[in-house]
Every structure is written in C-alpha cells, then in structure tokens.
Amino acid sequence: MRTWSIPAGRIFGIEIRIHVSFAILLLFIGLTEQIAHNTVSPWRGTALLAIVFGSVVLHELGHALVGRQSGVPPRAIVLLPIGGVTIFDEAQPEVPANWKRDVRIAVAGPVVNFLIAGLSALFLHIAAPNDRLWADPYVTSANLAHSLVWANLWLGFFNLLPAFPMDGGRVLRAIFSRTMEPAAATRRAISIGRGFALVFLLAGWWNAWLAVVGFFLFVAAQMEDRSAVFRSVLETVRLEDIMLTDFATLSPADTLEDALEKAVHCLQDDFPVIRGADMVGVVSKQKILQTLRREGNGYVQAVMNRIFDVAQKSETLSSAFRKLSARNLSIIPVVENQQLIGIVTLQNLMHSMALLAETRKLRKAALES
Ligand SMILES: [Zn+2]
C-alpha cells in the first residue's frame, strides 16, 4: 500500500497519503470535460478536483476523529478518489471487538458528506433562490456550487454501498462479527465487495464511469485483503516459528572495536549483551559505529541499552511488534526459563511477515482453485 501512495502532509497529527489512482481520476475528468465542452478552463478543472479532493479528505477525517474519540487511534489516511482508506494503528494494544463502535466509525464519513451537501444546498438556496439544483449535469466544472452539493451526495451514498471496504461494507462486517470470528467476518465482507466491483466493471459497457468505480472498488478490496492476510499472520504465528536461533552475542566487557569486528562477520544489526548466563542489555551496530566515530574506543557496557523487553517463544508476532514499537526497540530477546533461546529483530520480523503472507496467499489460492 505504501508503495502505491505518496505522502501529503499531516492533519490533526494524522498522516495523509495520496494513492496514485488519483492521477487516473485527474485524467478521466480532463477527458470527459474535454468531450463535453471542447475546451477546459484549467482553473475550473482544478477547482472541481479540489472539491472532490477536499470532500474525500473531510470524509476520512470524519472516520479518523470518531475513531480516535472511541479509542481506535488512526495512523494514516490513504486517499482514493472514491473515499480513501483510514488505516488504524496496528502497533497499538489490541482494542476489544465492539460492533457498535465499528458502525459509528464507518457511518461518520458519509455523515460528513451529507452535512456538507445539506449546508451548501441550503446556502445556495438562500444565495440564489431561482437556481435549479436538480438540473443535469450535476458534477461539472461549469457549475462548481452544484458540483459541491452533488459530489458530496454522491460520495455519501456511494460509500454506504454494502461493498467492503466501502463504509456500508464495514457496517456489514460489524454486523457479521456479532456472530462470526473477526477474520471470517472480514473475508465474507471482502468477497461481497469483490462481487460489487465485478458488477460495476460489467456495467461499464453501459456507462464508463461505472467501470472506473468498479476498478477503484477492486483496488480497495485488494488492499483490504492484503492487510487482512497480514493481520492473520500477526495474530497466529508465534515467535518460535520465526526467531533467529543462530546469532552472535556481545559481552559488556568487549571493546567497541572488538564488537565492530564481530559485527562485520555476521548479518545482524542488533546484538544481545550477555554477562555469564544473564542478558544485561542490547546494542545496535549503528550505535557502536556512531560512538566509535564520536568518542573513540570504549566498552560495550557504556553504550548498550539497558532497557529492553523480553518475550516468550509462544507469544504472537503482534505482541512482539507492540513490545518493539512501545519502546522504539529493534531487537527483542526470546527467553525460556530465563535462558536466552533466540532473538527477533525488526528486520527479521518484517522479512518473515512478508514471506508468511505470501505463502498464505499461495496456499489460499491453491485451496480455492
Ligand atoms: Zn468512508
């Protein structure tokens, strides 16, 4: 998902990213406008795009702020032309399932759009009583005030479609999750969403806009499917399945030059520091290098991080992830009966997650075919 979107600043501390498919909308608007009027005023075209863009941002902020208020802090918003996706922070401690809260968060986006549409229609009615709001074309650069009303009405209604990951689909999932496992509820909602995408794509023969909508629905369902697979990997795989059991350790009495020498001979970036049978700290290759450059040679004891967390081998990846991000660490020692039996590093965690997600997808595809 990150690879297909570019960062665009922050609002209320929430990262905003723009999905590349926004460029496709830009092209499409340009083309249809060109056909309709022969000439496009670039200023009006840009203003129309800004209206759609701003409405999507406000829609997503609706989800994000209601989410934050109900104890599900958002991390980022990825903007798609049909409404965007709010990504909630998976590194945070897990929040207990609560279908009413999920419905509230899902409905907040469309509510924002209906509010904007209602207020701007009211304002328009007062400012220009003779204006015919119901006249075609509804969304056009030739009438920006009408576009503001109709684009928001359209965004609100479209997002209420029960096509996951549209908000209506999220409501559906929340309802499924009353009687189903969360992962199964998500899967069912995603497959209904794919069905909708297909219907829209087929309807493209009749109206090109519908095919565009189907395409975006498909992209969004695909993104959700990927993150659902990641989540299931995080929740079900245990540390003993991925921990590194063959690793180098340092002693607090090692000099930094010795430590660097050792680091050169292995691929590890982070090292547990062991005194006798006890683990007393962790240190990274980068930290060793930095200190050597800045202060010259010294002892590992002086630079190691004494604050660290340990994990049991039966803990899940998501629990290790939370421990790492809570203290901003890059290594977590795995212990059994107070003995160090392995390490999990951030690098190793990311790598195995990508591999596990891939093998699960392949297995799932093999089962379905
Ligand atoms: Zn939404």
Side-chain angles (χ1 to χ4, degrees):
M1 166 145 26
R2 303 234 128 193
T3 44
W4 289 98
S5 60
I6 47 172
R10 292 176 164 272
I11 305 178
F12 298 120
I14 302 158
E15 191 185 352
I16 310 281
R17 304 181 70 90
I18 302 176
H19 196 263
V20 287
S21 58
F22 235 107
I24 299 174
L25 179 79
L26 199 76
L27 256 169
F28 198 79
I29 288 186
L31 273 176
T32 49
E33 292 274 304
Q34 193 107 41
I35 293 161
H37 312 297
N38 283 324
T39 51
V40 190
S41 142
W43 184 87
R44 284 183 162 270
T46 312
L48 180 60
L49 197 72
I51 285 174
V52 175
F53 189 80
S55 305
V56 172
V57 171
L58 290 172
H59 171 109
E60 288 306 313
L61 277 177
H63 292 306
L65 294 179
V66 171
R68 176 184 283 173
Q69 192 203 11
S70 354
V72 193
R75 184 160 52 91
I77 290 171
V78 180
L79 293 170
L80 291 158
I82 49 166
V85 178
T86 299
I87 300 170
F88 290 97
D89 206 337
E90 274 150 21
Q92 291 286 322
E94 229 177 308
V95 284
N98 176 342
W99 71 275
K100 281 187 189 155
R101 174 203 61 215
D102 291 349
V103 169
R104 245 193 340 265
I105 296 174
V107 170
V111 165
V112 170
N113 293 125
F114 292 138
L115 276 177
I116 297 172
L119 286 176
S120 45
L122 188 73
F123 186 76
L124 195 65
H125 182 70
I126 294 166
N130 296 323
D131 186 70
R132 285 170 57 236
L133 193 57
W134 302 94
D136 198 25
Y138 300 107
V139 177
T140 164
S141 63
N143 194 330
L144 294 173
H146 281 193
S147 301
L148 181 63
V149 177
W150 286 106
N152 274 286
L153 272 182
W154 194 78
L155 274 173
F157 279 116
F158 176 68
N159 276 282
L160 283 178
L161 273 185
F164 196 78
M166 295 294 99
D167 301 323
R170 287 176 196 277
V171 172
L172 207 60
R173 180 184 61 176
I175 292 167
F176 288 156
S177 72
R178 294 173 69 187
T179 54
M180 287 173 133
E181 283 287 306
T186 306
R187 266 201 308 278
R188 178 180 277 193
I190 288 176
S191 62
I192 294 176
R194 284 220 180 92
F196 268 96
L198 198 65
V199 169
F200 273 100
L201 278 174
L202 290 176
W205 288 111
W206 178 54
N207 181 332
W209 268 109
L210 296 177
V212 175
V213 167
F215 170 74
F216 286 130
L217 266 181
F218 212 80
V219 169
Q222 220 51 33
M223 273 163 60
E224 286 294 333
D225 196 27
R226 250 186 66 184
S227 79
V229 172
F230 260 121
R231 264 199 305 279
S232 86
V233 167
L234 275 173
E235 295 303 331
T236 55
V237 176
R238 302 183 184 288
L239 293 187
E240 60 188 323
D241 301 325
I242 64 139
M243 69 186 184
L244 304 173
T245 49
D246 189 16
F247 56 92
T249 62
L250 296 173
S251 150
D254 283 342
T255 65
L256 294 179
E257 277 174 4
D258 289 342
L260 192 63
E261 176 75 12
K262 257 192 202 174
V264 168
H265 292 291
C266 64
L267 284 169
Q268 248 166 278
D269 281 335
D270 302 273
F271 299 86
V273 184
I274 310 281
R275 181 190 285 128
D278 296 326
M279 195 171 139
V280 291
V282 292
V283 70
S284 69
K285 181 152 72 183
Q286 203 191 357
K287 178 85 187 186
I288 294 171
L289 262 173
Q290 260 176 9
T291 318
L292 266 174
R293 269 198 213 115
R294 220 177 289 148
E295 294 154 31
N297 206 1
Y299 290 97
V300 168
Q301 187 154 3
V303 299
M304 70 187 186
N305 190 354
R306 288 160 204 272
I307 299 165
F308 58 91
D309 228 330
V310 293
Q312 305 294 322
K313 65 176 184 178
S314 59
E315 281 181 36
T316 61
L317 299 194
S318 72
S319 135
F321 236 136
R322 282 198 289 273
K323 283 182 174 175
L324 285 172
S325 58
R327 297 211 164 129
N328 207 8
L329 300 169
S330 50
I331 176 173
I332 194 159
V334 184
V335 296
E336 188 179 38
N337 303 325
Q338 276 149 17
Q339 289 283 333
L340 180 67
I341 56 166
I343 59 168
V344 171
T345 67
L346 202 54
Q347 186 191 12
N348 138 239
L349 202 57
M350 298 303 237
H351 192 77
S352 21
M353 264 178 49
L355 273 177
L356 285 166
E358 199 55 44
T359 48
R360 283 205 180 188
K361 237 167 59 192
L362 290 175
R363 210 178 307 149
K364 209 178 95 189
L367 281 176
E368 279 168 3
S369 66

